[in-house]
Amino acid sequence: MKKEKGILIIFIILCVLVSVGNPNFLGATNLQNTARLIGIFGIFSIGSGIVIITRGIDLSVGSVFALVGVLLSMMLVKEKMPWPFALLIILALSIFIGWFQGSLIAKSKIQPFVVTLCGLLFYRGIARFISNDVTMGFGYGEQFTSLQYFATGNLLGIPLPFILLAVIGVISWLFLHRSVYGRYMFAIGRNEEAALYSGVNVTGVTILAYMISGLLAGIAGILLAFYTNAIAPSSHGNFYELYGIAAAVLGGCSLRGGEGSVIGVIIGAAMLQVIQNLVNLLGIPSSLNFAVMGFVILTGVFADKYLINRIKKPKSQLAVPDSTVYPTFESKKA
């Protein structure tokens, strides 16, 4: 919990600084919009974090968003398919993508970076081909208003994507931190060979991690498609995989695997959205958006790794015995 506390402190400090710089940050409308985006980004960031815990990586998330958005628009608007049926197809496809990529990684022993990078290119290309590279949308969505409400509606003033993130976060926390499969994932991330000799089904658990990531990417992709209501196949979801990875790393997941938590990933995702909000509210040129995010993320990770951990470390571990640095004449004589 040390890393989560560190990043939470930085998150609170950042919120205070932004609210002092621009009081509009605490406005009801701005908080609602920020919470909605935290919900969408937090959902797929949890999937990215779970994959990273197993010492993997998923670079295909953004392209999955484009493919999901295009297919959903075609099924609902062009084919007039009932939305529950279309939703099931999209979620099944997302899980299949995760299973396919996980199988290549776990069974064929291909590097996760290579498999998911190919997925990034392949899914984007398919989305552009089937849509003729034309921007697609849902119009006013008279036939599926209840589905659209999940992305744009509120419950008691709280955006529904944020509530969905809370539900998925609790389920993911129970799975990752309280189930035997969650412990297997941590074990695989720390030492895959040791986990294998301990009787863990490394292949099955690794595939499961990518299937979960695919499922969460599918859910977030549906929400994002209805939130934007316009899916340009060439740019929809671009770089979103990096947001997921950044949120996971910022939240305490180690790229070496075996470390991380669901709470940390959600805080990381929230922090990324507050940083974006900071860029808008403080009037920083939008062209500097990525530069500001990169700087703040690097500063946060540096502060968490070196400063906060040092403060928390007992003084006895920080102090170096005097005799080690400056051996006395008596000690040399002895």
Side-chain angles (χ1 to χ4, degrees):
M1 289 295 290
K2 188 184 290 184
K3 284 189 175 180
E4 289 80 354
K5 287 179 183 175
I7 195 66
L8 181 61
I9 292 169
I10 295 170
F11 175 68
I12 292 171
I13 292 172
L14 186 65
C15 288
V16 171
L17 290 176
V18 177
S19 59
V20 170
N22 191 331
N24 290 330
F25 174 73
L26 297 176
T29 305
N30 185 60
L31 287 179
Q32 269 191 343
N33 289 334
T34 305
R36 193 180 309 281
L37 289 173
I38 289 173
I40 296 173
F41 279 72
I43 289 171
F44 71 85
S45 296
I46 291 174
S48 299
I50 289 175
V51 166
I52 288 174
I53 286 172
T54 62
R55 203 182 286 190
I57 199 160
D58 192 349
L59 298 176
S60 65
V61 172
S63 296
V64 170
F65 287 171
L67 183 60
V68 164
V70 166
L71 287 175
L72 197 60
S73 174
M74 292 175 73
M75 286 190 284
L76 293 176
V77 178
K78 284 188 176 180
E79 305 297 330
K80 307 293 182 186
M81 193 178 289
W83 70 261
F85 191 54
L87 209 62
L88 285 176
I89 292 176
I90 290 296
L91 294 179
L93 174 66
S94 304
I95 294 172
F96 174 78
I97 288 173
W99 172 83
F100 178 68
Q101 295 186 151
S103 298
L104 288 176
I105 292 164
K107 292 182 178 177
S108 303
K109 303 299 179 186
I110 304 176
Q111 289 291 323
F113 179 86
V114 176
V115 172
T116 56
L117 179 63
C118 293
L120 179 151
L121 300 171
F122 182 73
Y123 308 137
R124 177 75 60 185
I126 293 294
R128 296 181 68 171
F129 175 74
I130 61 177
S131 64
N132 291 323
D133 223 359
V134 174
T135 299
M136 308 187 78
F138 303 97
Y140 294 104
E142 294 89 355
Q143 298 174 345
F144 35 86
T145 51
S146 52
L147 182 58
Q148 208 165 27
Y149 185 70
F150 270 104
T152 58
N154 302 316
L155 181 64
L156 301 175
I158 303 172
L160 280 172
F162 190 79
I163 295 174
L164 191 58
L165 169 64
V167 173
I168 291 175
V170 171
I171 296 171
S172 302
W173 185 86
L174 289 172
F175 172 80
L176 194 61
H177 302 290
R178 288 293 181 270
S179 78
V180 66
Y181 292 102
R183 294 191 183 94
Y184 287 167
M185 288 179 181
F186 280 102
I188 292 171
R190 290 190 185 108
N191 191 326
E192 184 177 329
E193 194 173 353
L196 181 65
Y197 285 119
S198 300
V200 176
N201 182 358
V202 172
T203 301
V205 174
T206 303
I207 294 173
L208 179 62
Y210 282 90
M211 288 173 69
I212 293 172
S213 178
L215 173 63
L216 295 181
I219 294 172
I222 294 167
L223 294 174
L224 185 67
F226 280 104
Y227 177 74
T228 58
N229 202 26
I231 301 106
S234 60
S235 61
H236 186 75
N238 263 350
F239 298 117
Y240 277 41
E241 59 277 349
L242 299 184
Y243 283 105
I245 295 168
V249 173
L250 200 59
C253 292
S254 170
L255 289 174
R256 294 186 296 270
E259 291 181 33
S261 70
V262 173
I263 296 174
V265 174
I266 293 175
I267 297 173
M271 192 166 173
L272 286 179
Q273 293 310 310
V274 171
I275 293 171
Q276 281 207 322
N277 208 221
L278 175 147
V279 172
N280 295 330
L281 292 179
L282 298 187
I284 298 172
S286 58
S287 55
L288 286 174
N289 193 348
F290 286 113
V292 172
M293 287 186 63
F295 174 76
V296 175
I297 291 169
L298 188 62
T299 305
V301 172
F302 177 82
D304 175 64
K305 185 173 180 60
Y306 292 102
L307 300 181
I308 295 177
N309 286 349
R310 190 174 178 81
I311 292 170
K312 296 287 183 182
K313 193 176 288 185
K315 290 183 179 178
S316 57
Q317 294 182 23
L318 295 175
V320 178
D322 291 338
S323 59
T324 305
V325 180
Y326 302 112
T328 60
F329 175 76
E330 288 75 13
S331 63
K332 286 183 177 178
K333 191 176 179 181

